[in-house]
């Protein structure tokens, strides 16, 4: 704010202005990614959503790590 002489009122707008340019650029680049070919589709596995039982098993598997991570971040 001191370097560019921007007031507190205009700071959120200025920060948004800085980040909107890359956002638009990367959005345009994402639109230009080619569709997967038949070979790409055959080489990859289709991802299925987890049902309730699978979701609970996943949470139980990683619960201790999630607690440790959240404790380290908050400390």
């Amino acid at each position: 704010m001191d370097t560019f002489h921007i007031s507190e009122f205009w700071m959120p707008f200025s920060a948004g202005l800085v980040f909107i340019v890359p956002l638009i650029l990367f959005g345009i680049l994402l639109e230009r990614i080619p569709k997967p070919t038949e070979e790409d589709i055959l080489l990859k596995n289709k991802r299925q959503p987890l049902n309730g039982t699978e979701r609970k098993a996943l949470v139980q598997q990683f619960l201790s790590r999630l607690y440790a991570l959240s404790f380290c971040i908050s400390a």
Side-chain angles (χ1 to χ4, degrees):
M1 287 174 35
D2 293 333
T3 304
F4 296 108
H5 306 291
I6 299 171
S7 72
E8 300 88 17
F9 180 77
W10 285 103
M11 189 59 205
F13 174 79
S14 303
L17 198 60
V18 168
F19 288 104
I20 195 74
V21 174
L23 179 68
I24 292 172
L25 174 69
F26 291 131
I28 291 170
L29 290 175
L30 279 172
E31 287 288 325
R32 299 189 71 192
I33 293 176
K35 299 284 185 198
T37 62
E38 290 295 324
E39 182 183 6
D40 291 334
I41 294 171
L42 291 174
L43 289 174
K44 296 178 182 171
N45 295 329
K46 187 173 181 179
R47 294 178 62 187
Q48 298 293 326
L50 298 176
N51 62 26
T53 307
E54 294 169 333
R55 196 175 307 119
K56 285 179 185 177
L58 182 70
V59 169
Q60 287 177 349
Q61 181 180 356
F62 293 105
L63 190 61
S64 61
R65 294 176 187 99
L66 290 171
Y67 280 141
L69 180 64
S70 61
F71 177 73
C72 290
I73 290 173
S74 65

